[in-house]
């Protein structure tokens, strides 16, 4: 079983739609959680951290369920510019080692 | 934050040759990470490079194939040795800096094609 698992997609949605991505992690001792965005032919960049209480940044909402070892990302009112691959990332150990999920590809169509 | 300059950005190489990828960071960092990203796949950690000690390699990656140098706290190189077409991939260096928690910053990537 992979340490961090995501549905690879692609998710094809129309502009304005709401879309949700899920991610599960296997290490119950994981400490920090993130969503990264990777555009085609670009390096990954941090989209948002995920906190236990849940957090929102504009159209993006991230939630963490430690009991189920599950992380989600909700995107409301999708824009064409949201088309990218979204990577679920977990910091499983003390220190700076990050484990990346396989990524979920989102395509927003006009 | 951290800014990483990685080069070359791309290269096409003959099988059997070697390519060295360089990463320069704008600040001193203890650990640098080297990843491989194959087409349509996520990032796979190759090794962690610490200044002053040998790199730590992940399962499936060996020093003879991917030698790493870390001469100081702002610079590292990864060499892909004796290349075969299976080594065609994107190679990324990364550092983790504070700020919003252990945020990872990446170089722009090296797109390698072995023919």
């Amino acid at each position: 079983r992979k340490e961090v698992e995501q549905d690879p997609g692609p998710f094809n949605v129309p502009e304005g739609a709401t879309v949700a991505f899920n991610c599960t992690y296997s290490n119950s001792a994981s400490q920090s959680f993130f969503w990264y965005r990777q555009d085609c032919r670009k390096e990954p960049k941090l989209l948002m951290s995920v906190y236990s209480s849940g957090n929102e940044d504009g159209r993006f909402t991230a939630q963490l369920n430690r009991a189920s070892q599950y992380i989600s990302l909700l995107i409301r009112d999708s824009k064409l510019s949201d088309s990218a691959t979204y990577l679920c990332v977990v910091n499983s150990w003390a220190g700076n080692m990050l484990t990346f999920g396989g990524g979920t590809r989102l395509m927003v169509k006009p | 934050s951290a800014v990483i300059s990685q080069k070359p950005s791309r290269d096409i190489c003959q099988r059997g040759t070697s390519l060295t990828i360089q990463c320069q960071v704008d600040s001193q960092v203890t650990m640098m990470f080297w990843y491989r990203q194959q087409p349509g796949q996520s990032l796979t950690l190759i090794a962690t490079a610490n200044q002053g000690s040998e790199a730590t390699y992940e399962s499936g990656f060996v020093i003879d194939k991917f030698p790493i140098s870390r001469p100081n706290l702002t610079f590292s190189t990864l060499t892909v040795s004796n290349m075969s077409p299976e080594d065609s991939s994107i190679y990324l260096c990364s550092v983790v800096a504070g700020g919003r928690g252990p945020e990872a910053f990446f170089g722009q990537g090296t797109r390698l094609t072995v023919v």
Side-chain angles (χ1 to χ4, degrees):
Chain A
R1 182 186 172 189
K2 292 181 183 177
E3 271 194 67
V4 181
E5 294 206 62
Q6 297 180 247
D7 180 344
F11 284 60
N12 295 299
V13 303
E15 268 187 294
T18 295
V19 60
F21 304 141
N22 301 321
C23 168
T24 57
Y25 60 94
S26 61
N27 188 342
S28 59
S30 298
Q31 300 175 6
S32 308
F33 310 88
F34 310 90
W35 285 101
Y36 276 69
R37 171 187 169 135
Q38 186 173 23
D39 292 299
C40 187
R41 296 177 178 267
K42 298 285 189 181
E43 71 276 19
K45 292 186 179 177
L46 180 67
L47 176 66
M48 59 196 303
S49 300
V50 186
Y51 303 119
S52 297
S53 54
N55 49 300
E56 189 174 308
D57 183 1
R59 298 181 293 108
F60 298 84
T61 301
Q63 292 197 311
L64 167 65
N65 184 322
R66 284 189 183 271
S68 302
Q69 295 179 201
Y70 167 99
I71 306 158
S72 66
L73 177 68
L74 183 77
I75 305 175
R76 291 181 299 277
D77 188 22
S78 299
K79 311 292 185 190
L80 295 176
S81 57
D82 293 333
S83 298
T85 296
Y86 291 83
L87 301 166
C88 177
V89 182
V90 175
N91 175 228
S92 295
W93 310 101
N96 293 331
M97 194 82 72
L98 298 177
T99 302
F100 289 79
T104 298
R105 190 170 168 210
L106 172 66
M107 298 179 68
V108 182
K109 303 283 179 68
Chain B
S1 69
V3 177
I4 305 175
S5 175
Q6 180 174 347
K7 58 183 181 182
S9 59
R10 59 176 62 232
D11 208 340
I12 300 173
C13 301
Q14 295 289 327
R15 67 180 68 200
T17 63
S18 298
L19 174 72
T20 296
I21 303 167
Q22 300 180 5
C23 275
Q24 178 76 49
V25 190
D26 68 344
S27 57
Q28 293 185 339
V29 291
T30 305
M31 292 193 287
M32 292 181 71
F33 303 91
W34 287 97
Y35 291 90
R36 181 172 72 184
Q37 187 173 31
Q38 294 181 309
Q41 304 294 316
S42 189
L43 287 78
T44 299
L45 182 64
I46 298 171
T48 303
N50 296 312
Q51 194 270 333
S53 63
E54 271 197 12
T56 303
Y57 289 83
E58 297 299 304
S59 176
F61 299 97
V62 295
I63 187 171
D64 289 345
K65 176 67 176 177
F66 297 101
I68 287 171
S69 79
R70 186 79 203 277
N72 57 54
L73 290 172
T74 64
F75 187 79
S76 180
T77 68
L78 170 77
T79 298
V80 186
S81 303
N82 188 25
M83 288 183 285
S84 66
E86 292 72 34
D87 295 320
S88 298
S89 189
I90 298 172
Y91 293 84
L92 292 141
C93 62
S94 174
V95 301
V96 176
R100 297 184 279 180
E103 179 177 351
F105 297 87
F106 292 86
Q108 302 90 335
T110 297
R111 184 176 294 272
L112 171 63
T113 302
V114 183
V115 298

